[in-house]
Amino acid sequence: MSTQSCKAGLPKLSVASDKEGFALKQNEQSGAVKWLLIAFSAVFLAVMLVLPLVYVLITAFREGIQPYLEAVTDKYALKSIQLTLEATVIAVIVNTVFGLFASWSITKFQFRGKKIISTLIDLPLTVSPIIAGLIYVLTFGRQSFLYPYLKSAHISIIYAVPGIVLATIFVTFPFISREIIPVLTAAGKDEEEAAALMGAGGWTIFRRVTFPHIKWALLYGIVLCTARAMGEFGAVSVLSGHLRGKTNTMPLYIELLYQGYDFTGAFAVSSILVVMAIIILVLRSVLEYRGRKNEE
Amino acid sequence: MEKNYYVELKGVNKSFGSFQASKDISFGIEKGKLIGLLGPSGSGKTTILRMLAGLETADSGDIIIDGKVVNDVPASKRGIGFVFQNYALFRYLTVYENIAFGLKVQKWPKDKIRARVEEMLRLIGLEDTAKRYPNQLSGGQRQRIAFARALAPQPQLLLLDEPFAAVDAKVRQELRSWLREMISAVGVTSIFVTHDQDEAIEVADEIIITNQGHIEQIGTPKDIYRQPDTPFVAQFIGQSSIVEDFRRFAGFAHAGSNATRAAVRPEYISVSKQGEPLRFPVNTETGVVERTAFRGSEIELTIRVKDTLLTAKRLLDDTPVSVGETVRVFIYRLYAFDNEKAYVIENEALTSPDSVVI
Amino acid sequence: MEKNYYVELKGVNKSFGSFQASKDISFGIEKGKLIGLLGPSGSGKTTILRMLAGLETADSGDIIIDGKVVNDVPASKRGIGFVFQNYALFRYLTVYENIAFGLKVQKWPKDKIRARVEEMLRLIGLEDTAKRYPNQLSGGQRQRIAFARALAPQPQLLLLDEPFAAVDAKVRQELRSWLREMISAVGVTSIFVTHDQDEAIEVADEIIITNQGHIEQIGTPKDIYRQPDTPFVAQFIGQSSIVEDFRRFAGFAHAGSNATRAAVRPEYISVSKQGEPLRFPVNTETGVVERTAFRGSEIELTIRVKDTLLTAKRLLDDTPVSVGETVRVFIYRLYAFDNEKAYVIENEALTSPDSVVI
Amino acid sequence: MKKKRKQRRVIPGFGLSLGITVTLLSLIVVIPLCSLVVFSSQLSFSEFIETITSPRVLASYRVSFQTALIASLINAVVGLIIAWVLVRYQFPGKRIMDGLIEVPFALPTAVAGISLTHMTVDSGWVGSIFHKFGIEIAYTRIGITIALVFIGIPFVVRSVQPVLEKLDPQYEEAASMLGAGRTYSFFRIIFPEIFPALVAGFTMAFARSLGEYGSVVFIAGNTPFKTEITPLLIMSQLQEYDYASATSIALVMLAAAFLILFVNAVLQSRASKIVSGIG
Amino acid sequence: GCGSTSDSSSASGSGENGGSVELTNVSYDPTRELYEAYNKAFAAHWKEQTGQDVTVTQSHGGSGKQALEVANGLEADVVTLALEGDVDAIKDAGLIEDGYTEEFDNDSAPYTSSIVFLVRKGNPKNIQDWDDLLRDDVGVITPNPKTSGGARWNYLAAWYYFEKQGQSEEQIKESMKTLYSHVLVLDSGARGSTTSFVENKQGDVLLAWENEAFLSLEEYPGEYEIVIPSVSILCQPTVAVVDEVVDSRGTRDVATEYLNYLYSDEAQRLEAENFYRPSNEEILKEYTSDSESRTITEIPEDNKWIVSDGFELTNIDHFGGWTEATEKHFVDGGIFDSIYEEK
Ligand SMILES: Nc1ncnc2c1ncn2[C@@H]1O[C@H](COP(=O)(O)OP(=O)(O)OP(=O)(O)O)[C@@H](O)[C@H]1O
Ligand SMILES: Nc1ncnc2c1ncn2[C@@H]1O[C@H](COP(=O)(O)OP(=O)(O)OP(=O)(O)O)[C@@H](O)[C@H]1O
Ligand SMILES: [Mg+2]
Ligand SMILES: [Mg+2]
Ligand SMILES: O=S(=O)([O-])[O-]
């Protein structure tokens, strides 16, 4: 049911198009409306999106560079960065693997239950992160029937790193498959059939024929997945136990600093997160721009 | 006595859900022939081709290639070349890589691949496009690349699904002759799908006409053109006017069979101005010209004869006929049909001895 | 003496960036005429139409409609009907709402709108589709709706951009005649764009031939067919074989003008088997048949005459000719051209008194 | 007729890919979600109803739905304008503006929450301006709404933008040939074309807003009956060890998300039925 | 990628010399600064005693919430929570054995505290006592009693005040309802509330742990004042070893010592310096002033910050102990819930 419904769900980062054709011509006639709308958009984006970014950076450096450096090189800060990166990398890997296989099976084959599977894939998008955390607490917590087994095997999931990783995977679960599926659907399966007909195996087909179609979608999926994974707060907060230096991811650590009157620290660590995310976004644009250029 | 077929389908059926796309399809193709699968849209042409290729599995019946039943041979092992309707060229591989793909998969040595690809490029006359990507080619060029890609691994059977559908009218014309020549040069047994009768007639050695999932008629273009077997073929082929009761026309009153409807083709109608000498003065009808249309080398006339509109043609250099003029119409031949069969019926004037020829 | 034109373009130019899509376009159209804009792809046909409609602004020159210069009148105020290539029917409006759109914009009263839409639907014979959405219609039906939508507000000028491009071959044929009749019934001055010469010849009262942004020739279909003015038109129209040095052919040695190349059309070639009676025994050439192809009602022959390949036709019912056979070829007429002009040249046998006719 | 032969799959990798898909899906999504159902069944039906309709819970639904709805509506309008500006106009800084749309994804929700809060408190950069007019933003529903507008904006822009880009200019040209002005053709012709995408974007923004926690906890006053959103209530139930209530309310939220998706699916399928005949 | 073994179980024996041991202390919200300091002291102490390096991992949050997370599997060797009732929740989950309050001195409460008001500089709303909180112009900040220990103490202190005013239970409920209707932000922990009040400038008065209030005074000198209400409550934060965890990890010795050492003189002074009242009477006196002013604008130079006279302190026994108090006020459907339900 939600296969279709979510089609437009994840935002597409599109390179601004230059062809304006008819529209441009018409707009020449009403410059006033044009500039009014542009100004409105610019102000809105500046206040809603740019200002918070600026605020983070300014506050981070409010007390100068030294306290900033101290804050970001603090033992616990480094630990939280490490944990966040770990969780992000694992989530991206798992979701990439999942995304590739899921989109392959959904777009290249007819089978029963396809609709259900696509709906389930999309589900995490609409589930509140709190609920995402909650379900793992319920599944692996003390009151779960699994708990005795986990306990006897000395496996901790919730209030430990695996729980954090799981929650991160969950909240970013559909990100990559959702980027790839529409691209593959649009491309159809003719090329793959042609390749199969010539005797190519699955890996060859994927690598030589399919992959080039989806690489930008995949890249974008990974970028979104990374950004979201790094920033996840709610689900991780439920599962973390807030063990300083152990299960505090960057967002949780920021909260901790924030509540410890260490605003400089909080915003300093935030700024790292912001900068990392911006780097990823920019990197992606550059990669895609270069790649697209090469293709032409 | 059975012929020595290279490809044979025996009682093949295929349904998609409750929709039967192929009904009891049986035919055989001799080695080296070029076969056209002709039929209206949705008549099951692509389905037959895809079953042959192994892209679709027949529900029942046998598919035999080179004497072996291939029902259970996967598509990749059938050694068939396939040219897809929209070519399905690999968009992210160069022309060279496209053609080389099948060879690489078969682990040909590098130098042999190079030689073969270059040979194919020469064959299709596109040597200098090797490094381009498909989207940098015109429709006609893409078509040729698709053809080369399918042929490169030297398949014994080549299947083409509407190979000309995606190119524009002028290019299509050229490509047809090109393909025809190419295939006879290579000598590969081929089947191509089309819904354009001109195309089938022009290109194929033999035509299989499909309609609503079954085969209507198999034969050479001339056979099919001249001797339609079924009502569907009689109406589908040529540019016919349909006549409700053909016995009203002079020269057809005593036709055997109880069919009443008939298809009349313009080329079997001769139109003469009043006063022009007639080849068959008996059995002519008079008609009134309702419309004339310039058709380049010919003039197309729409003539009302006994309350029926017939389409006929006159040469551009003949004396012009004008709208409203009464003319003499002689129908040589028509295709009568009932619900099951079609019959060729000649004007009695041509067959009975008492018609006078001047 | 100037004619009383309804639509007139005077020295219109248009560039896209550095590319000049229209070069000094001038022509005039009389009221009530149906004009075909014919030319190869990219020759600037659509650009002309869009400038007329006001969808594109000319860089220089004047566009005059009904005596008024409309250069500065916006598209929505020119009162022109436009049928787009792919119809551009509003997908989220029903057929009724599509046709009513222009009337609503003009604030017609409700009952008048209803009456007009129903009238249009009756006209195009699609009364029962009023409540459907465009996607529930066939290509041909959509074409008609687009036509009705454009006509509903009673424009004085109707522009059609490749009105048949999106429908399939069989339907296209029907639609052509339909549109032709419709337009003459309504009596609206119309211009339609096509790159299909058959279409232009069949439908238009007058044809404007464009090439690389300029106009090559304007004339009736017959004029254009019989009297091509320019080398481009000589080659573009008809299904010509191009001959490098036409003076080598018997009967053309003394042609005036210094052109050497010529276009020869199949319908101006007569092919006779050895021994068949000849209409013009002088000035015949002998040739060898290289290829014969069945073309439905005719047989197409490719004949090598003096090292040149010519395409000719014979009727299906004539005695068959086979590949390799030597035949006698008589060329009635050809279109010689140099770099600037084309000339019609008749075989001397037809014009000189010493040719013997049996 | 003989039994149908099994359809052979031409493209390889079906078993492997479906296997991996289903396995991961079960482990990560399906099984954990099942525990939600299992746990909420600890309550009897009447207890369940009582839990999910207690006044505080009802109030939190109201807060959540109201703010999410308003925020998504704002996003729909503003997102449409931004998408329009990005697609239809050429102006300096356009690329940067286009790149900015992703910021809410890049900025972690907690950071966004903290900085939005700081900016909108009475002494903040923005809050001080509004404070002069007696408008409080932080710790009110206005604040929640602003946080939700922040996180929801990319959904709308990025779903409308591609559709607008692909929109055939001929529709507008056709309308103008029929005499329609720009405004008229926008509302009659363009709007219906982009409406499905707008609905999809709106739906996603709405669903995301309903569930959002990170950015909201900081800016919401978290006062029961006033500024307590449902996810926060679930969180506090969770922290109160009241799993039965937490799961019950979570189920309601889940059902709401499904309902939203369902409504969207119906609208999308209607639209696609009109344009392509396949619903 | 789930199911790795938890790294917090990597206690490497408690050998005589060398080696290291890890300890997890799950605590309540305001003790962040205290335990940061104490962990250093304890590490030195333990090193000296056994030669082992001990690393203590801290977790802070609303006390009730923390307790529940421990009960739900958060692996804490020791818990140092805001009240006995919360430790009881862990006990009820079977992780702590009965009688933990007897394990350490002073009912296992190494330090105590009380509840005070934190107001803005100059006390602009002139808030002096609990009944001032009922004024409509006063915005109150206190955490959620469901999840925060401090909030429960706040609640009970207020209750006691109204009781002392001679109000009937119905009247008290009415007053409490009015009070809570003035609560602007209901955070899940004491620190969250402090942040709302101090950093985000919400409300006119913060109902705070004494230690939290003094910390604010220290962090923001000159910006706030403490007002001690006429009636408050003696808060007894309770510590306990989590038996199940220490047994499975083999950390009982170090965990027990960790809590024991809280009673050492060094630790008691450390606690006092972090504005907790030491349980050691001697040391308590060192920090007690003789001032009777109920408004404190700055931390006294002599560090005698504890005001002992001039107001009345009740304690949990007045409410029949934590089991009874929880049952009556804080369980689902208890009085606290009813205060919200009837809006
Ligand atoms: N995968 C499928 N699922 C369901 N129906 C199908 C499928 N493939 C084909 N059909 C149906 O089977 C019928 C025959 O299809 P087929 O593609 O063979 O027609 P065709 O003769 O090739 O038509 P066209 O000229 O339009 O390509 C059609 O009605 C089509 O809708
Ligand atoms: N908006 C535009 N920007 C740039 N070039 C354009 C634009 N519109 C048309 N052209 C160019 O102008 C030339 C003429 O275009 P036009 O569309 O008029 O050709 P046409 O004769 O209609 O061709 P076709 O038969 O392919 O439709 C083409 O080369 C085209 O690439
Ligand atoms: Mg087909
Ligand atoms: Mg065009
Ligand atoms: O830390 S508290 O439990 O008092 O919130």
Side-chain angles (χ1 to χ4, degrees), chain E residues 236-258:
Chain E
Q236 287 186 293
T238 306
V239 301
V241 169
V242 183
D243 298 299
E244 191 183 291
V245 175
V246 293
D247 288 346
S248 85
R249 298 184 55 217
T251 49
R252 181 176 284 282
D253 290 349
V254 60
T256 309
E257 182 56 21
Y258 182 78

Side-chain angles (χ1 to χ4, degrees), chain A residues 21, chain C residues 16-17 19 21 39-48 56 85 161-162 193 195 210:
Chain C
F16 294 108
F19 180 82
S41 186
S43 61
K45 309 179 293 294
T46 298
T47 307
I48 295 175
E56 227 52 90
Q85 180 158 346
D161 192 359
E162 311 221 16
V193 159
H195 57 243
T210 57

Side-chain angles (χ1 to χ4, degrees), chain A residues 22 25, chain C residues 55-56:
Chain A
F22 175 71
K25 199 156 54 60
Chain C
L55 295 172
E56 227 52 90

Side-chain angles (χ1 to χ4, degrees), chain C residues 9 21-22 25 27 36-52 82 85 159-162 191-196 200 208-215 236:
Chain C
L9 265 71
S22 296
I25 302 287
F27 63 82
L37 259 176
L38 173 65
S41 186
S43 61
K45 309 179 293 294
T46 298
T47 307
I48 295 175
L49 218 61
R50 289 172 59 88
M51 288 189 298
L52 260 168
F82 201 109
Q85 180 158 346
L159 307 177
L160 308 99
D161 192 359
E162 311 221 16
I191 306 179
F192 78 98
V193 159
T194 179
H195 57 243
D196 179 341
I208 299 175
I209 295 193
T210 57
N211 181 32
Q212 298 189 339
H214 64 261
I215 293 182
F236 183 70

